[in-house]
Amino acid sequence: MTNIYVFSATGTSLQVAKDIAANLDSCRIISIAKEMQKGKWDISAENAGFVFPCYYGDTPQIVKDFITGAGEVKAGYVFAVATAGGNIGYSLKNFDKALHSRNLKLNYGREIIIATSYMPGWYYNMISPSKDKLDANINNAREYCKKIADDVSHRIYEPYTKSYIGYKIPQIISPSRYVNDTRPWDSEFSVSGSCNGCKICESVCPVKNIEFRNEKHHFKGNCQRCMACVQHCPQSAFVIADKPMNKNKYTHPDISVKELSNFNQ
């Protein structure tokens, strides 16, 4: 039995997990966010896979917390796939560190490059793929997932890490140079008057950090900075650090809002 544990905000990592699972026997896809909402969770599988986006050259904190905070942690073989729009930095290396804290190690790792979701970045439009490039990336990813599934089924041992420079580049080019992490927290989020009250942001937030009440958005301080709310907003109503997020949006075209919401909540 293979369990694939997934954190996904724009749908990319979820679709990658589905494409891998489609080529494996006896495979379950499990939402990391939903498991953690239970308060207690275990990680137990003959083969344990993890699929998650790369954030700022690193593993999302929620994924690290999922590993370190689990009750029972047991797996015979561990594989991971990090998704990104540019490079995955040290995300798999730092993921492996989290595994070591629970006496596991990464046996096999890969990266899949499709599209960036970090809209606040000044470079966002520069590295966002065109429609043709995005289609090509998605098709390439689907084919690559077949190779990953074949490797996993044969328990290929091939850990995968990127260079230190790949880890540092996102920090060096950030608006505040040489700061470890300049991504905004939800205290810097607001919503413009273009909001139509559709509540999509509330439904897609993987950690239930947004509550829409009295026709206002209330942020609860548990933001993972995954950009799900920003990217899925049909009105481009979000404002971050006083800057409108009215750029071209990206969400995976094969994952609907309903599917993503049901998966995470």
Side-chain angles (χ1 to χ4, degrees):
M1 168 64 74
T2 299
N3 287 346
I4 303 181
Y5 301 94
V6 181
F7 179 67
S8 187
T10 57
T12 296
S13 293
L14 176 55
Q15 186 59 50
V16 165
K18 289 174 65 176
D19 288 338
I20 294 172
N23 293 280
L24 290 174
D25 295 327
S26 302
C27 184
R28 295 191 306 159
I29 299 176
I30 299 170
S31 167
I32 287 175
K34 186 179 288 186
E35 284 294 290
M36 293 183 73
Q37 289 165 20
K38 298 176 181 178
K40 295 181 179 179
W41 65 92
D42 296 322
I43 300 171
S44 180
E46 182 181 355
N47 300 318
F50 297 83
V51 183
F52 51 83
C54 166
Y55 288 166
Y56 224 67
D58 199 358
T59 311
Q61 187 61 45
I62 189 173
V63 178
K64 296 177 186 177
D65 292 343
F66 181 70
I67 300 292
T68 59
E72 181 183 46
V73 180
K74 181 173 64 176
Y77 178 83
V78 180
F79 66 96
V81 178
T83 64
N87 71 74
I88 65 167
Y90 255 22
S91 56
L92 288 181
K93 186 176 182 66
N94 288 339
F95 175 74
D96 191 32
K97 289 181 179 179
L99 289 174
H100 275 273
S101 73
R102 302 305 303 270
N103 297 317
L104 290 177
K105 65 179 180 180
L106 181 62
N107 301 118
Y108 178 89
R110 286 293 183 269
E111 69 173 7
I112 288 184
I113 306 302
I114 295 182
T116 182
S117 64
Y118 184 54
M119 193 178 285
W122 60 266
Y123 49 83
Y124 176 80
N125 284 337
M126 296 170 57
I127 66 173
S128 293
S130 65
K131 176 65 166 59
D132 289 344
K133 178 63 175 175
L134 178 59
D135 289 344
N137 287 351
I138 290 172
N139 288 333
N140 290 340
R142 187 172 292 112
E143 290 301 311
Y144 193 35
C145 285
K146 295 178 183 178
K147 172 66 166 58
I148 292 173
D150 185 63
D151 286 348
V152 168
S153 66
H154 290 91
R155 287 197 166 193
I156 299 298
Y157 179 83
E158 198 169 301
Y160 184 82
T161 59
K162 295 292 276 189
S163 67
Y164 181 71
I165 190 65
Y167 171 63
K168 292 301 293 183
I169 282 176
Q171 299 173 22
I172 293 171
I173 68 174
S174 66
S176 299
R177 296 170 67 88
Y178 309 113
V179 176
N180 285 334
D181 191 341
T182 60
R183 291 173 299 154
W185 294 102
D186 61 13
S187 61
E188 298 177 87
F189 283 42
S190 60
V191 180
S192 72
S194 63
C195 171
N196 64 1
C198 68
K199 300 183 182 180
I200 287 177
C201 57
E202 182 181 55
S203 70
V204 297
C205 178
V207 294
K208 298 184 177 181
N209 187 58
I210 301 174
E211 184 178 353
F212 190 80
R213 64 177 187 269
N214 299 325
E215 299 185 356
K216 291 184 178 181
H217 294 75
H218 296 265
F219 299 95
K220 302 178 182 179
N222 189 35
C223 180
Q224 300 298 313
R225 299 176 286 182
C226 69
M227 300 295 132
C229 56
V230 177
Q231 293 286 2
H232 285 280
C233 178
Q235 303 299 316
S236 299
F238 277 84
V239 177
I240 297 179
D242 298 323
K243 296 179 181 179
M245 296 294 104
N246 53 4
K247 307 173 185 179
N248 293 328
K249 294 191 291 293
Y250 164 76
T251 57
H252 198 287
D254 295 334
I255 301 293
S256 67
V257 166
K258 182 177 181 181
E259 180 178 4
L260 190 65
S261 299
N262 289 340
F263 179 70
N264 283 325
Q265 298 191 23

